[in-house]
Amino acid sequence: MFQIPVPNILDNLKNGSHKKIKGTVVLMKNNVLDFNDFHASVLDRVHEFLGQGVSLQLISATGSQGKLGKVAYLENWIGTLGPVTAGDTTFKVTFDVEGDIGIPGAFVIRNNHHSQFFLKTVTLEDVPGAGQILFVCNSWVYPASKYKKDRIFFANKTYLPSDTPLPLRKYRQQELEQLRGNGTGELEEWDRVYDYACYNDLGDPDKGSKYVRQTLGGSSEYPYPRRGRTGRPPTKTDPNCESKIPPVDLLRLDIYVPRDERFGHLKMSDFIAYALKSLAQSVKPALQSKFDKTPNEFDSFQDVLNLYDGGFPMPEGLFKDVGDKIPLTMFKEIFRTDGERFLKFPVPQVIKEDRTAWRTDAEFAREMLAGVNPVTIRRLQEFPPASKLDPKVYGDHRSTIREEHIKNNLDGLTVHQALKDNRLFILDHHDHFMPYLRRINETDNRIYGSRTLLFLKSDGTLKPLVIELSLPHPDGDQFGCTSKVYAPAEHGVESSIWQLAKAYVAVNDSGFHQLISHWYISPAKQLNTHAVIEPFVIATNRQLSVLHPVHKLLHPHFRDTMNINAQARQILINAGGILESTVFPGKYAMELSAVVYKNWVFPDQALPTDLLKRVFHAPLSNSPYALAECRGVAVKDANSPHGVRLLIEDYPFAVDGLNIWSAIKTWVTDYCSFYYKTDYMVQQDIELQSWWKELVEKGHGDKKNEPWWPKMQTLDELIESCTIIIWTSSALHAAVNFGQYPFAGYLPNRPTVSRRYMPEIGTPEYEELKTNSDLAFLKTITAQLQTVIGVSLIEILSRHASDEVYLGQRDTPGWTSDTKVLEAFERFGKRLAEIEDSIIRMNNDGKLKNRVGPVKMPYTLLYPTGEAGLSGKGIPNSISI
């Protein structure tokens, strides 16, 4: 750990001696996309000419008071033009040092210009007693008039609070106080305040009752993680609901988050370009529908394929207004004007090699292990499957699947033996949807609860056995549900019915993925990753100084998370937003994710624990097949590399995930053990204890009384907690996000909506199913316009940005001055490279059938490094999209 040398090392600066310290300042001027902000640039030059430049003052880290050096200014601002497009500009600065100022440990900066700039680094050369000193800043600096106190940046050292040099302690505390704010007022773009609020900004009651939404968080009925506070005024209709931003700000994506949490200029350029491109793609079906015989419907699977195979010449003059507002080069990329065909989606990987293999049972099952939502399948605990819905409220929801439905497809085993041998698995979307189906199906949706049973074959692949589809009882919830069981079939109308049954399951899984695995992990994606991580971002910035080792460890894994979440609340998960219009829970989507959050347990987010506990949670019945010892998709095994043994050995997400998890934990262990030698040091770290206390009591305040929270009293608890945070922010999010377009870009493979119930014998729908099964299938799943909007969205969300920073990388090479830490980080990078090699080897191993599958699509979602665009591989450090 870095130790400041004792005073008197600058003997040559004593007794009135005079010396100059030269420095280099790297910053990025206030450029926007491909344009320089010429107006601001001119005004900055005027300010510079009038003597109102950018000033810096060094702060000593030695002595008792911390001397403040003489003011120095950036040199030759007027003569330094910088790059034509957004990029770095380098300036010189010279500090006149008089007397014994000691070794600089921080500096004060004042921006006396008209406009802000992004300060990247400051480097001091030939500092007596210290040599080179690097300040890693990476922060927007606004004009001094916007701040109550001057900005302070610290040298690239790492200190526990008790080890902080005495002269820097007041500055360390002052900086944290600025970041916490005072909890009042509307926050402006230059504010650097991190604070908490409930999700009371999803609705827009001023537009009418149709746009009223439940506040999430702050209640036992709808608990939820906290989001970043904006301080916007309440709506006119409901004082408890936060108002929306003006349309002009929404167009500019100008939604408050602390400025340093906003997208960088490259990410923002990519985000807008892809968003506009996808918006353009949505125009094509609207134009074609004028001539289509069935508007808003696909007439055949070829119609769907035309989204990727076709193209449409841009009508003259179309999008002129858009073209006037974006850079010319970007306009040409989005709207081809050179005779090329345009408005065409990329071909999703799931149909790139084989356009029909997605319909096979083998691929249907494989995607539960190596698809976009591989975190839901569980080992079956008892047969028939049970329900944990309260029978006093919801009646009898026990499964109607019986032994005769599956006994002939168990490779000669009995049901009891298959359970005992851990060969039966379930994809269960019954309990979490059933309480909402009556309301959901009052809309245009026709959704079932589903249970899918699967059998583990001797070759390591899964075979679907049956699908049970359930609806609320027509006489009322207290009477339970009505269910039908469907079995695989290859010929006739029964085959078409089986394809529809799989589609209803895929609709369930898509909805669960978007709401729970992705957002909540969507709302599984939205909840379990996006939503649960934001409180960690806020608490870390409020309670851990940038000098703190845990801040330095976690900060890269929070990049852009608050910003993408803020955008989502305005245009994606808001009332009437894209999620509600493309995913079947509709207006109940976010409310449903709050109900699921009730069962969220922080320690269970550790991958080994999740795999061990991933079990069908239901009270054991009197079933003769109930096996209390059954657990998840893995069992503890001290002889296995990660302490757990997978029950499905060829489980690509789990295999790759355990390797990544282990690499992260080894890195975190090395890192934390360098700064904390004992449990006592953890207990005595006042910032660390304040961080954890606030995270539990405020950030996840609705669950503050849960007994499972780590107490943060031991080094092991710190290591495990930080590993969970990094795993969730990086690898878990990558696994459930970047496969969206590769798997669901072809929406028949993962439809998000079902619009008709299963056809009954004697109905026109059943006759259509017999005579034109493809058309009946397409009329059941997501409609054309919903498809185009949904595919446009996931194309954006599945792309890696051109400035992506991947796991094992940092955006600043000299991010720490501690050599031992840098060596540990290098070992981490080498281990990740080894994992990449192992993924390639496994994907080429023909014996591992789940790695590639019938669609010939290798599993690469947990391949650590990636490339810009729809690469389908790469683990970014953070939840940045």
Side-chain angles (χ1 to χ4, degrees), residues 163-183:
D163 295 332
T164 308
L166 185 61
L168 299 182
R169 292 186 181 183
K170 67 176 182 180
Y171 295 106
R172 179 172 182 152
Q173 182 61 30
Q174 175 184 311
E175 179 71 358
L176 286 174
E177 290 172 356
Q178 294 298 307
L179 293 170
R180 292 174 194 146
N182 59 16

Side-chain angles (χ1 to χ4, degrees), residues 766-881:
Y766 190 85
E767 292 303 312
E768 182 179 54
L769 189 65
K770 290 169 60 178
T771 59
N772 192 338
S773 60
D774 285 354
L775 183 59
F777 184 96
L778 293 170
K779 284 185 176 181
T780 300
I781 65 168
T782 317
Q784 186 182 51
L785 182 59
Q786 284 176 305
T787 294
V788 173
I789 294 173
V791 171
S792 298
L793 174 65
I794 62 174
E795 184 193 352
I796 298 169
L797 299 182
S798 301
R799 286 183 177 272
H800 287 291
S802 54
D803 64 343
E804 202 83 87
V805 182
Y806 296 97
L807 192 64
Q809 302 174 355
R810 293 277 176 134
D811 55 6
T812 304
W815 61 275
T816 179
S817 60
D818 293 318
T819 303
K820 294 291 186 183
V821 170
L822 289 175
E823 290 173 353
F825 190 65
E826 184 178 4
R827 291 196 298 272
F828 178 44
K830 289 180 179 179
R831 176 57 187 139
L832 293 175
E834 293 172 357
I835 293 172
E836 289 184 349
D837 292 339
S838 71
I839 289 174
I840 293 173
R841 286 196 302 272
M842 287 186 289
N843 285 345
N844 290 326
D845 186 344
K847 296 179 182 179
L848 301 177
K849 298 182 183 299
N850 295 325
R851 300 292 310 190
V852 176
V855 294
K856 301 179 178 63
M857 180 179 173
Y859 186 74
T860 57
L861 292 176
L862 287 176
Y863 190 89
T865 57
E867 55 194 45
L870 291 170
S871 62
K873 64 179 181 179
I875 304 175
N877 269 328
S878 62
I879 302 168
S880 58
I881 194 66

Side-chain angles (χ1 to χ4, degrees), residues 86 264 285 414 433 488 555 586 625 638 667 707:
T414 65
F433 288 138
H555 184 259
Y625 302 124
W667 153 239

Side-chain angles (χ1 to χ4, degrees), residues 134 351 426 444 516 554 587 600 625 704 744 843 869:
L134 174 65
I351 58 168
I426 184 170
D444 294 333
I516 312 305
L554 296 179
K587 69 178 184 179
W600 180 80
Y625 302 124
K704 64 183 178 182
N843 285 345

